[in-house]
Amino acid sequence: MVAEEVTRQNDTIFALSTHPGKAALAIIRISGPQTGRALQMMLPRSSSRSVEAPLAPRLAVKTRIVDPASADSTLDTGLCIWFPGPRSFTGEDMAELHIHGGSAVIASVLRALGSIPNLRMAEAGEFSRRAFDNDKMDLTTLEGVADLINAETEAQRKLAVRQAGGELHELYEHWRERMVSLMANIEAYIDFSEEENIEDGVLDNVRRIAGSLKEDIANHLNDGRRGEILRSGVSLAIVGPPNSGKSTLLNRLAQRQVAIVSPVAGTTRDIIETTLDIGGYPLVVRDTAGLRHADGDAIEAEGIRRALESAREADMRICLLDATDVLDQQQKLDGVLGADEWRALLSLPHTLIVLNKADQLKIGAGDVAQSQALAWARAHTGGDAVLISCASMFGWDELMGRVAERIRGSWEGGESLRMPLTKERHRQHLSQCLGRLERFERAGDQWVLAAEELRAASAALGRITGRVGIEDVLDSLFSQFCIGK
């Protein structure tokens, strides 16, 4: 089984690296020890070409691409680029064929490559796996590449670019190297303190640096999960009384009919979710059941319970109220806000009060209805409020701006700040590392035990970057890649 795995790793692989289907261009990648021979067979015969140097390296050459079975049979005309290892993406000999993107052209070139002995189609993520195996990138960088491929918003792209560029790798390797240095000092003290002159203050310096590392890692963990939230999407729950326009707001945000809109109160009974891009930030928006007393309706009561639970768990909330209700002097405050749970929602962080149906307030010059509605909301909710109309789109730009501003201020952090955590896997290993550093401090002058704690802390960091025990993580990660990556 092991021999078979080694053989597959030494195979020469090929795959379409661009999106399948009809397009102007397509790129086919080849990687492995037989890449030079494959190019010699796929390009027109030339006395200047050899298996070791089929083309000038890293230079795009316009050429015919021919069938290996018949040099006179032209499959296409395109560009070929030769990347001799180790200066390539995978660290192996590599080549790219830039061809026309028609389905028949792509199929003919792939079929021709498959006819060459010792060449096979790549598996999902196999090019990136070979880059990892050849130390071209670590596990955090690979995860960044996967996130970059899957990024759907500008914020996700920026975060993925930083991780794919090696920011987390550099940070974690810097910490690990400092720990290795501390272990070397402790080992020297244990082995040679009686025979050699160990500098005074070495162990005090070890304690000081270990304390500094512990503080750095603790600060890194205490980031409010902003990287993980931006990567997976900021969750926003729309809550409010029945018929305040929650489903209409969701449909307006999604720019399509996601939820059923009806004048009948209590139409929405379960949570409806959709993913959006608001100002370049990923947003997972949930429409919830209207908050009111269910009056014995078990199904509606369950929907209200789920609405409250969703609102509490969300990163942000929009509390949507009917602007015409808040100005009705007969409408008591308790009738609008309801139970204690509804009041408690208003005090949660990142909660925005939105008054809908502004079009029914006779908006016009000199009309005081708008200011009255906003003043009511601010007085009774203790926060700011936005007046909108889902019908006429009045106040829409202000609402979108407020949402984007809150996301930017709370989770983005700016490119100048340290790269945040992006995965729960990283958080778990860093927490283990931090725990080991705390045990190191408690070891006191038991330096053999202290050195063992540092080794365990370093191993926890090594599991993040891929230096220690990560086969199960690799299998999961590479399954997310396309065949040609």
Side-chain angles (χ1 to χ4, degrees):
M1 189 71 180
V2 174
E4 181 182 344
E5 180 65 23
V6 171
T7 300
R8 289 187 69 78
Q9 290 176 357
N10 291 330
D11 286 348
T12 297
I13 58 175
F14 65 91
L16 177 67
S17 289
T18 47
H19 196 278
K22 189 179 294 184
L25 297 172
I27 298 175
I28 293 175
R29 269 179 166 173
I30 313 167
S31 180
Q34 299 297 319
T35 301
R37 187 170 69 87
L39 288 187
Q40 217 177 19
M41 297 176 70
M42 293 287 291
L43 304 181
R45 307 290 185 263
S46 172
S47 58
S48 63
R49 293 195 179 111
S50 66
V51 171
E52 294 76 18
L55 292 172
R58 287 168 288 281
L59 182 68
V61 177
K62 183 180 179 182
T63 179
R64 287 190 305 121
I65 298 166
V66 301
D67 190 333
S70 173
D72 296 330
S73 176
T74 300
L75 302 177
D76 193 17
T77 298
L79 299 177
C80 181
I81 309 176
W82 161 244
F83 301 95
R87 295 177 59 192
S88 68
F89 175 77
T90 61
E92 305 173 325
D93 286 348
M94 266 192 78
E96 288 183 357
L97 299 175
H98 296 225
I99 60 177
H100 292 97
S103 299
V105 175
I106 294 170
S108 67
V109 175
L110 292 176
R111 187 165 52 248
L113 284 168
S115 70
I116 300 174
N118 300 318
L119 264 69
R120 65 171 174 82
M121 186 74 78
E123 298 173 0
E126 192 168 359
F127 288 90
S128 295
R129 175 63 186 259
R130 292 189 176 200
F132 174 81
D133 289 339
N134 292 319
D135 294 326
K136 285 295 180 177
M137 57 180 74
D138 81 318
L139 192 52
T140 62
T141 305
L142 278 171
E143 289 171 330
V145 172
D147 287 347
L148 189 58
I149 292 171
N150 294 316
E152 296 181 348
T153 69
E154 183 65 7
Q156 289 173 324
R157 182 196 64 79
K158 287 181 179 179
L159 196 64
V161 163
R162 293 178 66 184
Q163 185 167 338
E167 280 196 43
L168 283 183
H169 166 74
E170 292 172 6
L171 176 63
Y172 297 153
E173 276 299 290
H174 174 63
W175 286 342
R176 196 188 67 82
E177 288 168 3
R178 289 172 71 186
M179 289 182 194
V180 170
S181 176
L182 295 181
M183 284 189 286
N185 285 328
I186 295 175
E187 295 289 353
Y189 174 80
I190 293 171
D191 293 340
F192 305 114
S193 60
E194 295 181 2
E195 295 86 4
E196 304 288 341
N197 291 323
I198 302 297
E199 287 185 36
D200 293 337
V202 167
L203 297 181
D204 289 338
N205 193 49
V206 166
R207 288 192 178 99
R208 181 185 60 79
I209 295 174
S212 174
L213 275 170
K214 190 186 79 166
E215 183 179 350
D216 285 348
I217 294 172
N219 289 336
H220 189 52
L221 283 166
N222 188 27
D223 64 350
R225 296 183 179 266
R226 61 186 181 90
E228 293 155 275
I229 288 172
L230 276 184
R231 179 179 172 272
S232 58
V234 178
S235 60
L236 183 149
I238 305 174
V239 293
N243 274 357
S244 56
K246 297 184 299 300
S247 297
T248 303
L249 176 60
L250 177 67
N251 291 340
R252 286 292 194 184
L253 287 169
Q255 299 182 9
R256 60 189 177 91
Q257 196 76 12
V258 177
I260 297 172
V261 176
S262 167
V264 179
T267 301
T268 302
R269 297 195 169 198
D270 207 346
I271 295 171
I272 301 172
E273 182 177 289
T274 189
T275 302
L276 310 172
D277 179 343
I278 302 294
Y281 300 101
L283 203 62
V284 181
V285 185
R286 299 173 185 145
D287 180 23
T288 63
L291 301 181
R292 64 175 180 178
H293 298 295
D295 296 328
D297 187 328
I299 296 177
E300 185 178 7
E302 175 62 17
I304 292 171
R305 187 196 67 78
R306 293 186 183 186
L308 289 168
E309 182 179 48
S310 176
R312 293 190 196 100
E313 293 175 351
D315 301 313
M316 292 182 65
R317 284 149 294 280
I318 285 180
C319 291
L320 194 68
L321 303 175
D322 185 334
T324 61
D325 282 345
V326 302
L327 292 181
D328 185 349
Q329 298 303 312
Q330 302 302 315
Q331 178 74 44
K332 294 182 179 180
L333 181 61
D334 285 348
V336 177
L337 297 182
D340 292 340
E341 293 91 342
W342 178 218
R343 292 178 183 273
L345 290 177
L346 301 177
S347 64
L348 291 173
H350 312 304
T351 299
L352 183 63
I353 310 300
V354 178
L355 303 179
N356 188 26
K357 305 185 182 180
D359 55 302
Q360 299 180 24
L361 294 178
K362 301 179 181 178
I363 298 171
D367 199 299
V368 298
Q370 293 181 50
S371 59
Q372 286 179 336
L374 291 174
W376 182 94
R378 290 163 185 160
H380 291 296
T381 63
D384 203 357
V386 180
L387 185 65
I388 69 165
S389 168
C390 289
S392 68
M393 302 297 285
F394 169 83
W396 198 254
D397 290 343
E398 182 183 0
L399 175 60
M400 294 299 95
R402 293 281 190 94
V403 171
E405 180 183 351
R406 293 203 178 200
I407 297 174
R408 181 167 52 249
S410 300
W411 292 289
E412 185 179 41
E415 294 187 14
S416 61
L417 297 180
R418 176 179 283 174
M419 174 82 192
L421 286 164
T422 57
K423 287 185 177 291
E424 179 61 27
R425 184 183 72 82
H426 302 175
R427 188 174 296 280
Q428 290 176 1
H429 292 313
L430 283 170
S431 296
Q432 293 169 6
C433 177
L434 186 62
R436 290 293 186 172
L437 289 175
E438 291 170 347
R439 292 173 66 172
F440 165 83
E441 289 184 334
R442 293 196 296 270
D445 292 334
Q446 300 178 65
W447 291 109
V448 174
L449 178 59
E452 186 58 36
E453 296 299 346
L454 278 182
R455 265 190 291 274
S458 174
L461 285 178
R463 291 186 185 94
I464 300 177
T465 58
R467 288 181 174 269
V468 180
I470 39 74
E471 281 303 316
D472 53 340
V473 178
L474 289 177
D475 291 342
S476 173
L477 173 63
F478 291 125
S479 68
Q480 302 174 34
F481 282 82
C482 58
I483 298 297
K485 187 60 182 170

